[in-house]
């Protein structure tokens, strides 16, 4: 009986080893991290890491310069949450600086302003727009701005609630979110 047990164990071991091939390499994605978003959106954890320079789910969409200095930057993050709703966050910052932005709805659309909005999002089966309220500013904190390229690399974090413009009882809360955004096509081409 001992002999049968040893043969059985030996056979199982050989089968396990033969199932593993040295050619198969389970590896971690080592491509450089270009842009990312990590946070909680309406109690759902979202992690999006952008490693492909042609991926445009996070995109630096506009940069305004004056006298060779970047004064305004805008970007969007097109994120998918676990229930397959698309949340597209548009952010514009003016003036571009490190530190805290407390963003409320703009009063004068003819001037530069800082803004955050979820536009044309497919959320809860409908297209809606969400914005901060004047009573509850949305907080965006910029930790670092690398403006050594044509388009800056911006890192920071954000927290706040954005309200449905048509129904203020409907809201999207973003908390404990950190991000890095860059025009990865311009930056990665400049570094190659």
């Amino acid at each position: 009986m001992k002999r049968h047990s040893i043969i059985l164990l030996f056979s199982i071991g050989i089968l396990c080893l033969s199932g593993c091939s040295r050619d198969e390499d389970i590896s971690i994605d080592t491509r450089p991290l270009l842009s990312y978003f990590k946070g909680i959106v309406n109690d759902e954890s979202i992690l999006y890491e952008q490693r492909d320079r042609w991926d445009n789910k996070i995109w630096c969409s506009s940069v305004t310069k004056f006298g060779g200095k970047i004064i305004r930057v805008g970007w969007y993050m097109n994120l998918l949450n676990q229930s397959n709703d698309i949340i597209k966050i548009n952010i514009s910052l003016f003036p571009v600086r490190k530190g805290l932005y407390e963003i409320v709805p703009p009063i004068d659309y003819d001037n530069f302003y800082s803004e955050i909005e979820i536009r044309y999002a497919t959320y809860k089966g409908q297209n809606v727009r969400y914005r901060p309220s004047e009573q509850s500013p949305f907080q965006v904190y910029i930790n670092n701005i690398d403006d050594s390229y044509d388009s800056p690399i911006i890192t920071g974090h954000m927290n706040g609630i954005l309200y449905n413009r048509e129904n203020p009882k409907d809201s999207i809360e973003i908390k404990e979110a950190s991000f890095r955004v860059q025009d990865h096509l311009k930056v990665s081409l400049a570094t190659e």
Side-chain angles (χ1 to χ4, degrees), residues 71-125:
I71 60 170
R72 181 180 179 276
V73 66
W75 71 89
Y76 67 82
M77 299 178 189
N78 190 8
L79 306 174
L80 298 174
N81 69 16
Q82 294 174 356
S83 55
N84 293 326
D85 293 324
I86 299 172
I87 298 174
K88 184 174 182 176
I89 304 170
N90 289 310
I91 299 171
S92 295
L93 299 179
F94 173 81
V96 177
R97 60 175 167 71
K98 292 180 188 177
L100 178 65
Y101 291 81
E102 292 196 314
I103 302 174
V104 295
I107 296 169
D108 183 359
Y109 286 95
D110 291 332
N111 295 313
F112 282 123
Y113 52 87
S114 294
E115 178 182 32
I116 184 166
E117 179 179 53
I118 294 180
R119 290 187 196 179
Y120 309 111
T122 303
Y123 186 67
K124 298 180 182 176

Side-chain angles (χ1 to χ4, degrees), residues 3-23:
R3 185 171 184 192
H4 289 288
S5 296
I6 292 173
I7 292 173
L8 180 62
L9 287 173
F10 181 76
S11 298
I12 291 172
I14 293 294
L15 284 172
C16 288
L17 289 175
S18 67
C20 300
S21 168
R22 288 185 182 178
D23 294 336

Side-chain angles (χ1 to χ4, degrees), residues 125-164:
Q126 57 185 330
N127 290 330
V128 294
R129 294 174 83 164
Y130 293 83
R131 301 185 98 169
S133 74
E134 293 202 26
Q135 297 76 26
S136 177
F138 193 95
Q139 295 185 335
V140 177
Y141 189 88
I142 301 301
N143 298 332
N144 192 41
I145 302 167
D146 179 353
D147 60 357
S148 57
Y149 304 98
D150 284 343
S151 182
I153 300 171
I154 299 172
T155 57
H157 55 273
M158 64 176 82
N159 286 292
I161 300 174
L162 300 172
Y163 298 90
N164 183 333

